[in-house]
């Protein structure tokens, strides 16, 4: 029943419009692993070897490890990102999980529990917690206690 309802409501003349982002030439690399739009309307890109990028529609700001900022990140392979309820951007790299504070654009490791973890995916939950998925296990980062629980049940 659902299939027939969907196909009946589909518009045969639907043709999506795809255009190149005006800021595309400012991207440090072409490979983008994830994209989010934050609560202020900015687009954020998790790139492969280019760091994390913030796009305001006119300019792209790049946050990455480089010769001028060797300690900013453990590496520039960003797998996943999300916006926390407190408007911080949480993101995962091949070697750690970080928090970017949008007030001053400072970056810090999320917690010691994820200091050497390759997190392929993170999800910000409405209750302020974060679900972190690695290649072998899932963790629940409890923002109230600051502890990470392995293989959480009913987060």
């Amino acid at each position: 029943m659902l299939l027939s309802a969907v196909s009946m409501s589909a518009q045969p003349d639907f043709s999506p419009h795809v255009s190149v982002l005006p800021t595309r030439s400012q991207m440090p690399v072409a490979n983008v692993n994830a994209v989010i739009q934050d609560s202020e309307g900015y687009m954020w890109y998790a790139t492969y070897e280019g760091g994390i990028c913030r796009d305001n529609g006119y300019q792209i700001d790049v946050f990455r490890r480089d010769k001028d900022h060797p300690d900013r990140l453990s590496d520039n392979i960003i797998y996943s990102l999300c916006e926390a309820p407190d408007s911080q951007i949480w993101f995962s790299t091949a070697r750690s999980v970080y928090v970017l504070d949008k007030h001053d654009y400072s970056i810090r490791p999320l917690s010691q529990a994820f200091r050497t973890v390759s997190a392929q995916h993170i999800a910000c939950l409405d209750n302020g917690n974060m679900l972190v998925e690695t290649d072998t296990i899932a963790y629940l980062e409890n923002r109230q206690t600051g502890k990470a629980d392995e293989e959480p049940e009913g987060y």
Side-chain angles (χ1 to χ4, degrees):
M1 272 312 225
L2 179 61
L3 251 181
S4 63
V6 171
S7 64
M8 287 174 36
S9 66
Q11 298 175 355
D13 60 344
F14 175 74
S15 58
H17 176 73
V18 178
S19 60
V20 177
L21 293 171
T23 54
R24 172 65 189 101
S25 64
Q26 298 175 32
M27 290 289 287
V29 294
N31 299 336
V32 175
N33 293 329
V35 178
I36 64 166
Q37 184 173 19
D38 72 12
S39 58
E40 298 172 53
Y42 296 109
M43 300 300 293
W44 291 84
Y45 309 113
T47 70
Y48 189 83
E49 296 186 346
I52 184 171
C53 303
R54 185 189 81 127
D55 185 348
N56 66 10
Y58 301 98
Q59 174 182 330
I60 291 183
D61 298 312
V62 180
F63 305 91
R64 64 180 165 199
R65 177 186 178 135
D66 58 25
K67 64 181 170 87
D68 295 327
H69 306 96
D71 298 324
R72 179 178 277 171
L73 300 173
S74 59
D75 62 286
N76 290 321
I77 300 172
I78 314 298
Y79 288 126
S80 184
L81 68 159
C82 61
E83 183 177 20
D86 59 3
S87 297
Q88 295 178 332
I89 302 296
W90 296 350
F91 61 98
S92 64
T93 74
R95 297 187 190 145
S96 194
V97 179
Y98 292 91
V99 175
L100 184 145
D101 186 330
K102 292 193 304 183
H103 294 101
D104 61 5
Y105 298 103
S106 62
I107 296 173
R108 63 176 172 74
L110 178 68
S111 74
Q112 287 301 109
F114 302 115
R115 198 64 184 180
T116 58
V117 170
S118 176
Q120 281 80 27
H121 185 74
I122 59 173
C124 297
L125 306 177
D126 291 339
N127 63 5
N129 293 340
M130 180 178 63
L131 194 59
V132 178
E133 176 191 346
T134 72
D135 56 352
T136 58
I137 197 164
Y139 297 90
L140 178 67
E141 170 74 9
N142 185 317
R143 299 303 294 155
Q144 291 176 349
T145 65
K147 295 185 180 179
D149 300 321
E150 292 184 12
E151 299 184 12
E153 293 181 27
Y155 52 88

